[in-house]
Each structure stands twice: as C-alpha cells, then as structure tokens.
Amino acid sequence: MQPLLNFLTILIFSSASILSQSGSNQLAELKAKMKSDGFSAFHNFTVVRTDNISSQHHSILNLAGQALVGSSLAVGFSIFPISAGFADAWSGDATVASQTALGVLAISTYLFGAAVGVHWIASYENPNLSFWGTFGYSAIGGGVGTIIASVLAANYTTVPAAGVFIVALTPIMGAMTYASFISDWPDENQKTSFNQVYDSHKDLIEHSNIVNLELLRVEL
C-alpha cells in the first residue's frame, strides 16, 4: 500500500509541475505576442484641409479692382509707344513702316498691361490663375475690339466716344472673362488620408483581460 501512495504522490507533483511549466510557457508566449502586436493596430484617419477660397467666383471688390488696375496698367504700359507715334507723326519725317511699328507696339503693350493688371488682382482670390491664359484672352478681347472699331469706322465719320470707350475696354473684359469663368480654381476641400499606427487604450484593456484569464487558469 505504501509504494502505491508514494507513486500517486510523485504522479501528482509531476503533473502539477508540468501544468505550471505549460502555463508559464503560454504566459511567456502571450507576453511576446502582446509585445509584437501591441503596435500593430492600424487606425485610419482623414484630415480635411480647407483652402482660403470661399467660393469659385471673384468678389465684387476684386472684380472692380481688376477693371481699375487692368485699365490703369494698360494705359500706363502703352503711353511710351503712343507718345512716340504722335511725336513721329508731328515731326514730318514719319513713314508708313515707322507708324505701323509704333502702332503694333502700342497695341501689344496695351494688351500686355491689361493682362498684368487683371492677373495681379484676380490671383489674390484664385492662385491657380494662369498669366499667359489671361494674356491670351486679353488679346482675344483686343481682336473683338478691332472688329468693333472697323464696324464703327465704316458707319460713322466720327466714331462716338462711347464706341471708343468700349473698344478700349475689350482687352480688359477679355482678361476678366478668362479669370472669372474659364480658368481653373483650386479645390475648396482637399482631403488627405493617412494611417497612424498606435496601441489604443482599448487594446491595452483587452490584453490585460487576457493576461488575467491566463493567470487564473494557471493558478487553477
């Protein structure tokens, strides 16, 4: 009977030792898994960046500035060739070639000045505005003005002042049309998505609960 009791005692202690070692190994594996997985929780966020552009059109104040500054710079840029043309004509030595060259220079500088003025003011509310696009439509406006001037000259001995005013404004109106209705505008809301890797508070609680359950199972 005594040998049997000794055998049972040894068997019980051996089983307890094996279970204890198994629990310790599982606990170590759990800790290692927690350490490796603790920073593997991916959470997606979306960051919304709003540009400083309230809407896809210019304000009344900006439009007025485009017209005023565009007209002023158009006249300012063309003052020199226009003055040179008048001086050449009054000198008595003017030729067709010189008058034509000065006339083309005056028109070109007028169109360029109109584009510079409109682009300068319009770009405050539309940073995507293309200068060369603005200049191109200023030239188109100048072409329309030339057609209007030809029609007026064919129908009037003396062109009305209102007609001259409209012809002078056509390059500015062409540039403003491009800036307000044709050019590209920035997107109002640009969304940038990114992934941030971190160990959340919820993950820590779940890991703690698992550890507590494992410890309880080992003790039992």
Side-chain angles (χ1 to χ4, degrees):
M1 189 68 179
Q2 185 65 32
L4 180 60
L5 291 176
N6 292 337
F7 175 75
L8 291 176
T9 302
I10 294 173
L11 181 61
I12 291 172
F13 278 103
S14 298
S15 300
S17 177
I18 293 173
L19 289 175
S20 177
Q21 291 179 359
S22 176
S24 299
N25 292 335
Q26 290 179 359
L27 184 59
E29 292 176 359
L30 179 61
K31 290 181 178 179
K33 184 177 180 181
M34 287 172 58
K35 185 177 294 185
S36 62
D37 294 344
F39 297 93
S40 62
F42 289 85
H43 296 265
N44 295 325
F45 289 89
T46 299
V47 174
V48 179
R49 179 174 61 84
T50 303
D51 296 316
N52 294 323
I53 298 175
S54 59
S55 59
Q56 300 285 24
H57 59 80
H58 291 291
S59 63
I60 299 299
L61 183 62
N62 190 273
L63 291 173
Q66 292 177 37
L68 179 61
V69 177
S71 302
S72 300
L73 291 185
V75 173
F77 277 43
S78 61
I79 283 179
F80 177 76
I82 291 174
S83 301
F86 279 115
D88 184 55
W90 289 339
S91 68
D93 298 328
T95 62
V96 175
S98 64
Q99 287 292 295
T100 302
L102 289 172
V104 170
L105 182 60
I107 294 173
S108 300
T109 53
Y110 188 90
L111 299 177
F112 187 78
V116 169
V118 172
H119 181 270
W120 181 17
I121 302 302
S123 60
Y124 280 102
E125 293 184 349
N126 181 9
N128 280 15
L129 183 63
S130 167
F131 172 75
W132 293 112
T134 308
F135 177 72
Y137 274 83
S138 176
I140 292 173
V144 173
T146 302
I147 295 174
I148 295 174
S150 300
V151 172
L152 292 175
N155 292 276
Y156 294 93
T157 304
T158 302
V159 178
V164 176
F165 183 73
I166 292 173
V167 170
L169 284 180
T170 50
I172 293 93
M173 294 171 63
M176 291 177 64
T177 299
Y178 170 77
S180 298
F181 302 107
I182 301 174
S183 64
D184 294 329
W185 288 71
D187 294 334
E188 291 187 9
N189 293 325
Q190 296 181 354
K191 294 183 179 180
T192 305
S193 298
F194 64 94
N195 291 328
Q196 183 179 7
V197 183
Y198 74 101
D199 191 15
S200 68
H201 180 66
K202 181 180 178 181
D203 296 328
L204 292 175
I205 294 176
E206 291 178 352
H207 288 319
S208 300
N209 291 336
I210 293 174
V211 171
N212 291 334
L213 290 174
E214 288 294 327
L215 292 175
L216 180 61
R217 187 175 66 83
V218 170
E219 290 176 357
L220 293 176

